[in-house]
Amino acid sequence: MRTLAIIKPDAVRKNVIGEITAKITAAGFRILGMKLMRISKQQAEAFYAVHSERPFFGELTDFMSSGPIVPIALEKDNAVEDFRTLIGSTNPAEAAEGTIRKLYASSIGENAVHGSDSEENGKIEVGFYFSEAELVANER
Ligand code: ATP
Ligand code: MG
């Protein structure tokens, strides 16, 4: 099963790409694709379209387009649920000890990482950032 992780702009600014990637691979995820990039406000709006009616949509899409991000296509058995366990609650104040958000997130908005919320969305979201050819080239 695949899931999409994103190291968000706050974590890139904190220089913890390596620390977060190490925790992901130590938890048994295989990296199928990874890139450092910026997305526009319009691309952030498209990616988070499901949240377009939420009061924090403007803040969220401004934040996600505020600096470089690192999308990572991951593969593992039970990847979606296991990755959400690894990152912890959306609000770092409620995240379990040792989770990526507990360790690196600043606030509910600037919360260090994204993780897909279903198997179907994992496929869609991996496809948002990676072509199939980019992933196949890295399979092992
Ligand atoms: P993600 O989808 O990024 O993995 P999530 O699934 O834990 O996070 P969602 O409910 O999907 O949480 O919200 C998407 C993102 O919107 C959150 O990660 C956070 O960055 C932002 N967000 C959610 N709730 C709030 C809020 N109350 N105020 C500000 N930003 C919020
Ligand atoms: Mg979500």
Side-chain angles (χ1 to χ4, degrees):
M1 188 195 296
R2 288 177 179 178
T3 194
L4 181 81
I6 305 175
I7 302 178
K8 296 186 179 184
D10 59 321
V12 175
R13 280 193 279 268
K14 286 181 185 171
N15 275 316
V16 290
I17 294 172
E19 286 85 341
I20 291 174
T21 307
K23 287 197 77 71
I24 293 171
T25 52
F29 293 87
R30 292 198 308 145
I31 296 174
L32 299 181
M34 180 165 167
K35 57 179 88 167
L36 178 72
M37 66 186 292
R38 279 190 77 141
I39 55 172
S40 66
K41 170 90 169 164
Q42 289 71 26
Q43 286 172 305
E45 288 171 350
F47 182 74
Y48 278 115
V50 64
H51 294 310
S52 62
E53 302 305 317
R54 302 278 200 98
F56 56 80
F57 186 62
E59 187 187 328
L60 171 62
T61 53
D62 280 342
F63 168 59
M64 290 302 289
S65 57
S66 70
I69 62 171
V70 181
I72 311 173
L74 296 172
E75 188 171 72
K76 185 184 179 299
D77 289 345
N78 203 36
V80 169
E81 189 186 339
D82 287 359
F83 190 72
R84 291 181 69 87
T85 301
L86 180 67
I87 66 179
S89 299
T90 308
N91 184 350
E94 293 164 11
E97 286 302 324
T99 60
I100 291 173
R101 282 172 170 161
K102 182 72 176 187
L103 288 166
Y104 302 114
S106 308
S107 66
I108 191 168
E110 304 205 356
N111 61 2
V113 280
H114 165 85
S116 304
D117 62 9
S118 69
E119 182 166 8
E120 190 192 357
N121 283 338
K123 284 183 198 156
I124 293 168
E125 291 180 359
V126 167
F128 189 93
Y129 290 100
F130 299 95
S131 70
E132 203 54 37
E134 286 177 294
L135 301 173
V136 169
N138 287 294
E139 267 172 10
R140 55 192 179 267

